[in-house]
Amino acid sequence: MKSGLKLIIFTLLTLMVLLSACNSSNEVDGAKGNSKDNGSDGKLVIGFSQVGAESEWRTANTKSIQDAIKNAGHELQFSDAQQRQENQISAIRSFISQGVDAIVFSPVVETGFETVLQEAKDAGIPVFLADRSVDIDDDSLWVTFIGSNFVEEGRNAARWLVDEMSDYDGDVSIVELQGTVGSAPAIDRKKGFEEIIADHPKFKITQSQTGNFTRTEGQEVMESFLRSDGENIDVLYAHNDDMAIGAIQAIEEYGLKPGEDVIVIGVDAVRGAFEAMVEGKMNVTVECNPMFGPQLVDLIEDYFAGKEIPKRVDVEEDVYTMDQAADLIDSREY
Ligand code: GZL
């Protein structure tokens, strides 16, 4: 065989070996997980399992995350669970079977998700917890949690009340509208509030029941509180503003003045709370900031870029009172 032909064949064989080696290294880099390159130009397919649309806060949080995912050029697969755990489990399984690159998940309650999160891990799909956490020991089942410190929110609500009524000598009767039973915010906001009032025995929670974070149920439960002991209610502590706003209607229909006869405390700092405070019907709201969508997408992109991701990212929050409401309401983002 002529030497020239041999050289051509040798060169072609060498090129083929080099090209196949190059492809195989891409396949390794393209594996799901800590790699930016998922066989595309960095565009990710992100499954987002959201609790529901139960409150103003949730609506703002959904928009913040959806807009951030789309503005970053990624593809969004969205599921609204209507506050039902079984809907979240089936949504996550659907994301797994679709082979999404990442899952964003706000668990409606803290327990019952370990199996499906293990299935996501086994499929090599990273999970990012947004807003609410899960009560699972194996924290390898999620990359990170971004959201609020609900215990601190409960403490801040109680600290404001203790300070507000520091000159009041008698007992203070508090009724509590809890959030969704078993949810992280309901468990922790109760825990933080009780931790602070434990050091001030004049404050007593005399009635406590879930209003499931909705206005309708907040109004209904407040009506029952008023029917059973309306003349002896000094304070309402609601785990979110939507329940507080529903309760305000019940207080007015009962013939009392919310914000005066009954001190009204909420959490979230949504626009509805500022409107109620401007009207003098609500006294304080503890901020729970839902606008962390851009931060969340940065965390997801950092993960795929192979960067170190903290296990928890807390969002900054404040407390807003009735006398501040008129000045601040026009600047509120949600
Ligand atoms: C808190 C969030 C809660 C809000 C409610 O981060 O999970 O759920 O406080 C919402 O308004 O329903």
Side-chain angles (χ1 to χ4, degrees):
M1 186 183 299
K2 291 194 181 346
S3 59
L5 184 55
K6 278 184 184 173
L7 179 61
I8 290 168
I9 290 169
F10 173 75
T11 307
L12 284 173
L13 285 172
T14 306
L15 274 174
M16 282 167 67
V17 168
L18 284 173
L19 277 173
S20 66
C22 174
N23 279 335
S24 65
S25 72
N26 261 343
E27 276 155 23
V28 169
D29 292 344
K32 281 193 174 36
N34 252 4
S35 158
K36 184 78 176 171
D37 174 13
N38 277 305
S40 64
D41 54 359
K43 178 178 176 178
L44 300 170
V45 178
I46 300 172
F48 175 18
S49 169
Q50 178 61 294
V51 167
E54 73 283 0
S55 65
E56 282 185 58
W57 187 96
R58 186 66 55 197
T59 304
N61 180 247
T62 296
K63 185 174 187 316
S64 175
I65 295 172
Q66 287 181 331
D67 289 353
I69 289 172
K70 289 173 183 169
N71 294 343
H74 301 305
E75 181 184 328
L76 170 67
Q77 301 286 338
F78 178 70
S79 161
D80 170 343
Q82 298 170 327
Q83 290 187 286
R84 300 173 68 86
Q85 177 167 42
E86 61 271 22
N87 291 346
Q88 289 201 290
I89 291 170
S90 57
I92 292 170
R93 286 193 168 128
S94 166
F95 295 149
I96 293 170
S97 61
Q98 289 175 52
V100 299
D101 295 304
I103 292 171
V104 171
F105 175 38
S106 180
V108 61
V109 291
E110 286 191 330
T111 56
F113 289 111
E114 191 153 2
T115 301
V116 74
L117 291 179
Q118 185 63 52
E119 290 167 17
K121 181 181 177 182
D122 295 344
I125 300 175
V127 173
F128 297 79
L129 295 180
D131 168 37
R132 296 188 183 176
S133 53
V134 287
D135 182 13
I136 297 175
D137 292 336
D138 180 4
D139 68 3
S140 74
L141 296 181
W142 61 92
V143 172
T144 187
F145 164 86
I146 180 169
S148 304
N149 182 333
F150 302 133
V151 177
E152 189 60 18
E153 290 170 349
R155 293 191 190 110
N156 283 337
R159 288 181 186 125
W160 176 87
L161 179 62
V162 166
D163 180 59
E164 180 72 11
M165 300 192 77
S166 55
D167 298 337
Y168 185 79
D169 291 334
D171 283 350
V172 178
S173 166
I174 303 164
V175 295
E176 179 184 33
L177 285 170
Q178 296 182 36
T180 302
V181 175
S183 68
I187 292 166
D188 289 350
R189 285 172 184 165
K190 183 174 187 58
K191 180 179 171 186
F193 190 89
E194 290 178 343
E195 179 190 298
I196 298 297
I197 64 168
D199 295 334
H200 304 272
K202 72 181 183 184
F203 295 96
K204 290 185 176 47
I205 296 177
T206 53
Q207 298 185 75
S208 181
Q209 190 179 328
T210 183
N212 206 24
F213 284 132
T214 68
R215 292 191 182 197
T216 305
E217 292 170 79
Q219 180 176 353
E220 288 166 359
V221 175
M222 190 67 201
E223 284 166 355
S224 71
F225 287 162
L226 289 160
R227 277 195 300 272
S228 65
D229 194 16
E231 298 315 312
N232 298 308
I233 295 175
D234 303 308
V235 178
L236 163 65
Y237 169 46
H239 289 186
N240 83 330
D241 294 335
D242 283 69
M243 293 190 292
I245 292 163
I248 284 169
Q249 190 165 340
I251 294 167
E252 289 181 310
E253 286 169 4
Y254 183 79
L256 295 174
K257 289 196 178 98
E260 292 178 36
D261 301 328
V262 179
I263 287 176
V264 178
I265 302 171
V267 185
D268 280 348
V270 296
R271 174 168 292 277
F274 280 81
E275 289 165 352
M277 289 196 288
V278 167
E279 292 171 358
K281 298 179 179 178
M282 189 166 175
N283 301 82
V284 62
T285 180
V286 176
E287 187 177 32
C288 175
N289 194 322
M291 312 300 283
F292 53 73
Q295 261 182 295
L296 172 62
V297 171
D298 287 347
L299 287 166
I300 295 170
E301 292 180 341
D302 286 351
Y303 171 81
F304 280 97
K307 294 180 184 172
E308 196 63 37
I309 306 295
K311 209 63 192 173
R312 181 184 175 99
V313 176
D314 280 317
V315 294
E316 292 304 311
E317 303 184 326
D318 210 331
V319 177
Y320 300 104
T321 57
M322 185 191 284
D323 57 344
Q324 296 173 295
D327 293 338
L328 293 175
I329 190 166
D330 291 338
S331 64
R332 296 297 297 165
E333 278 187 276
Y334 64 97

